[in-house]
Amino acid sequence: MPKKAKLAGKEEEAVPCKQAKVEAGSSPSTFNFANPSSLFESLISPIKTETFFKEFWEQKPLLIQRDDPILAAYYQSLFRLTDLKSLCNQGIYYGRDVNVCRCINGKKKVLNKDGKAHFLQLRKDFDQKRATIQFHQPQRFKDELWRIQEKLECYFGSLVGSNVYITPAGAQGLPPHYDDVEVFILQLEGEKHWRLYPPTVVLAREYSVEAETRIGKPTHEFTLKPGDLLYFPRGTIHQADTPPGLAHSTHVTISTYQNNSWGDFLLDTISGLVFDTLKEDVKLRTGIPRRLLMQVEPTTVATRRLSGFLRVLADRLEGTQELLSSDMKKDFVMHRLPPYHVEGTELLMPGICQDLTRSANKPSSCFFLS
């Protein structure tokens, strides 16, 4: 699943910068970009935001199946298989921008070549080897995804990444696995058959492949069509395939909240709190017992002293007006998307957009996957 991170690569293969000029989309937006909250509300419509965070967020999957041709057309405009040809002409590279893979006997087989990716080779692997094409961080090239993800970063206050998966009929790209991110899946083209399983690690902090013999039978099984949306929490085991005899499937996975837990925040802020307390509390500046670091297990005295210092830090925290984040805030500020900007218009502040009219959604089917 997608991760918003610095991408490794050769110096001559620098990650393409986001283009400032916005190309006209083929379908009008059905999302409300007036502000971050309205964007998220329109993303999960007809579910109310309050209901989503009370009943689903970090708890259980949510499936929204829609019968809305206008919304389906908009989803399809976000990324298509045919977009790969023009993207290859711009210069994309295996590993950095695109992966080619198949799920064979429960394992992921990577079919990447070296260097620059060429459309004819991608299409050959797609048609002949039944391989899935995984495109990393498409918002670098697709302005409407940039627009959506920039608003979501403002809404969540967390980095938002994305991947596009294009899978031929009768094929599967990835084995059963779980991720360390909250996942929103938008079905763009064709159909995708999904199976979800209960987590072996609730709210997992890392990615892991799971053997099918271990996960048992799926708790939820369904097919996504263009315009449908699926959400599930990190740790949810899942696998997906394109049904045979149909056209290819394209979906975009939008993810957030990687390493964004209370535990991560505590690790991030505790060092600053200790450092400030060290300046004022001489007891914290006294040396540890001789040979403490040479002992296999800490002594009762050392454990008791540490417990006492933690209580001192807790008391200090209660009266602190400002929590110093050493890395999390810096990472968010440095790697978040720039404000969405149309050339020739005034540059807007992050999270603020021109008010666009949202088209009325047709009735949707919402499935609470408990």
Side-chain angles (χ1 to χ4, degrees):
M1 288 293 176
K3 296 178 175 65
K4 194 73 172 293
K6 296 182 285 294
L7 299 173
K10 299 178 182 178
E11 291 184 4
E12 65 269 25
E13 299 175 2
V15 177
C17 296
K18 189 69 195 71
Q19 299 178 13
K21 186 175 181 179
V22 178
E23 298 177 359
S26 58
S27 297
S29 173
T30 61
F31 290 158
N32 186 344
F33 289 93
N35 55 62
S37 294
S38 62
L39 182 276
F40 185 73
E41 288 171 2
S42 59
L43 176 68
I44 64 170
S45 175
I47 298 297
K48 300 298 183 184
T49 302
E50 182 180 356
T51 301
F52 175 78
F53 284 102
K54 182 179 180 181
E55 299 182 13
F56 300 99
W57 176 254
E58 295 188 327
Q59 298 172 63
K60 61 183 179 181
L62 170 65
L63 169 64
I64 302 178
Q65 294 181 312
R66 301 170 169 127
D67 182 17
D68 185 346
I70 296 177
L71 182 62
Y74 173 64
Y75 271 32
Q76 290 169 353
S77 73
L78 295 178
F79 201 104
R80 297 182 175 93
L81 172 61
T82 53
D83 291 333
L84 284 176
K85 187 172 184 179
S86 62
L87 291 173
C88 286
N89 291 336
Q90 294 184 47
I92 61 174
Y93 291 81
Y94 286 104
R96 188 195 70 185
D97 303 308
V98 67
N99 277 333
V100 179
C101 59
R102 278 194 65 189
C103 176
I104 300 177
N105 298 324
K107 295 183 179 180
K108 176 182 176 181
K109 182 176 181 180
V110 179
L111 305 174
N112 287 356
K113 306 296 187 293
D114 294 326
K116 184 178 288 189
H118 298 281
F119 176 72
L120 290 180
Q121 182 63 55
L122 289 176
R123 192 65 202 240
K124 181 179 178 181
D125 291 337
F126 183 80
D127 292 331
Q128 298 182 9
K129 297 182 179 179
R130 320 307 297 156
T132 289
I133 299 172
Q134 178 188 17
F135 197 92
H136 300 303
Q137 307 300 343
Q139 75 279 1
R140 293 175 293 146
F141 301 90
K142 303 293 288 185
D143 290 326
E144 195 69 6
L145 286 173
W146 168 26
R147 188 184 185 194
I148 292 169
Q149 291 177 225
E150 184 265 326
K151 274 288 186 290
L152 290 177
E153 287 189 338
C154 294
Y155 182 75
F156 286 108
S158 176
L159 295 177
V160 174
S162 66
N163 276 345
V164 165
Y165 296 86
I166 310 174
T167 303
Q172 180 171 334
L174 300 174
H177 67 280
Y178 60 79
D179 299 290
D180 57 350
V181 285
E182 300 295 304
V183 174
F184 296 87
I185 291 169
L186 284 63
Q187 184 67 26
L188 309 183
E189 293 183 306
E191 299 182 7
K192 203 66 173 282
H193 169 238
W194 285 83
R195 286 169 284 174
L196 307 183
Y197 307 80
T200 52
V201 180
V202 177
L203 300 181
R205 298 193 71 251
E206 58 186 17
Y207 167 94
S208 180
V209 173
E210 290 282 15
E212 197 142 10
T213 55
R214 183 186 177 195
I215 58 179
K217 295 182 179 180
T219 54
H220 309 97
E221 189 168 2
F222 48 85
T223 298
L224 293 183
K225 298 180 180 181
D228 292 348
L229 179 139
L230 170 65
Y231 159 81
F232 51 81
R234 54 195 186 275
T236 302
I237 301 170
H238 57 279
Q239 61 177 323
D241 62 274
T242 304
L246 299 177
H248 69 272
S249 164
T250 304
H251 75 263
V252 61
T253 298
I254 298 176
S255 65
T256 189
Y257 260 63
Q258 184 182 45
N259 299 331
N260 214 48
S261 67
W262 276 113
D264 294 304
F265 190 61
L266 182 61
L267 288 170
D268 190 50
T269 57
I270 195 70
S271 59
L273 185 63
V274 171
F275 185 77
D276 287 344
T277 308
L278 271 168
K279 298 177 182 178
E280 302 177 9
D281 192 335
V282 68
K283 293 180 180 178
L284 273 174
R285 300 199 298 271
T286 59
I288 61 177
R290 289 178 292 109
R291 296 191 295 274
L292 177 63
L293 301 181
M294 299 170 63
Q295 299 173 12
V296 177
E297 297 181 357
T299 65
T300 303
V301 174
T303 303
R304 192 174 300 151
R305 289 293 298 274
L306 284 174
S307 297
F309 288 139
L310 288 174
R311 282 189 284 271
V312 170
L313 293 175
D315 292 339
R316 182 181 178 89
L317 185 61
E318 291 287 343
T320 298
Q321 298 296 321
E322 180 181 3
L323 289 175
L324 299 178
S325 171
S326 58
D327 294 316
M328 291 177 69
K329 185 178 291 186
K330 182 192 302 182
D331 184 57
F332 176 62
V333 171
M334 291 182 63
H335 296 110
R336 65 184 300 189
L337 287 166
Y340 175 78
H341 176 52
V342 180
E343 187 175 351
T345 64
E346 183 179 355
L347 185 62
L348 304 176
M349 294 299 291
I352 303 175
C353 233
Q354 294 168 322
D355 191 7
L356 301 178
T357 303
R358 173 189 170 198
S359 64
N361 284 336
K362 293 187 177 181
S364 305
S365 299
C366 304
F367 297 85
F368 301 171
L369 305 180
S370 57

